[in-house]
Amino acid sequence: MQKLIAIVNVIAWAGFWSFGYLALSAQVENIAQMVTAAILAAMGGGAGMLAYLWLVRHTEATGYAKPANRATKRDDDIHGEVL
């Protein structure tokens, strides 16, 4: 399953970069091409980000990657203004 998600990740980011370039390099007169490419680039970027986040969470859960450093919650409460 993780290999399929990794393939989706690569294809989605490739779509993001290629359609993003097409959206930015389109002629100003051709608004339909620009908007279509921008929408496809946004969909590719969204799918790529979701696949990447799934891969990161999966590798941390399985122990393949070291979990990220996260702050721990302190037991003592701080009251008042903190500078």
Side-chain angles (χ1 to χ4, degrees):
M1 182 69 174
Q2 60 268 19
K3 288 183 182 182
L4 176 66
I5 299 296
I7 291 170
V8 168
N9 186 23
V10 170
I11 292 172
W13 282 116
F16 166 75
W17 287 110
S18 61
F19 286 114
Y21 174 75
L22 289 175
L24 291 175
S25 65
Q27 297 293 326
V28 178
E29 298 85 25
N30 200 349
I31 295 176
Q33 179 185 3
M34 194 182 310
V35 170
T36 304
I39 290 171
L40 290 173
M43 288 173 44
M49 185 59 69
L50 288 175
Y52 174 74
L53 292 174
W54 185 91
L55 286 171
V56 168
R57 183 172 293 214
H58 178 72
T59 55
E60 287 179 355
T62 59
Y64 186 73
K66 184 178 74 165
N69 293 333
R70 293 183 176 91
T72 58
K73 186 175 179 180
R74 298 187 328 190
D75 291 335
D76 58 335
D77 291 332
I78 299 174
H79 300 287
E81 185 176 339
V82 179
L83 298 174

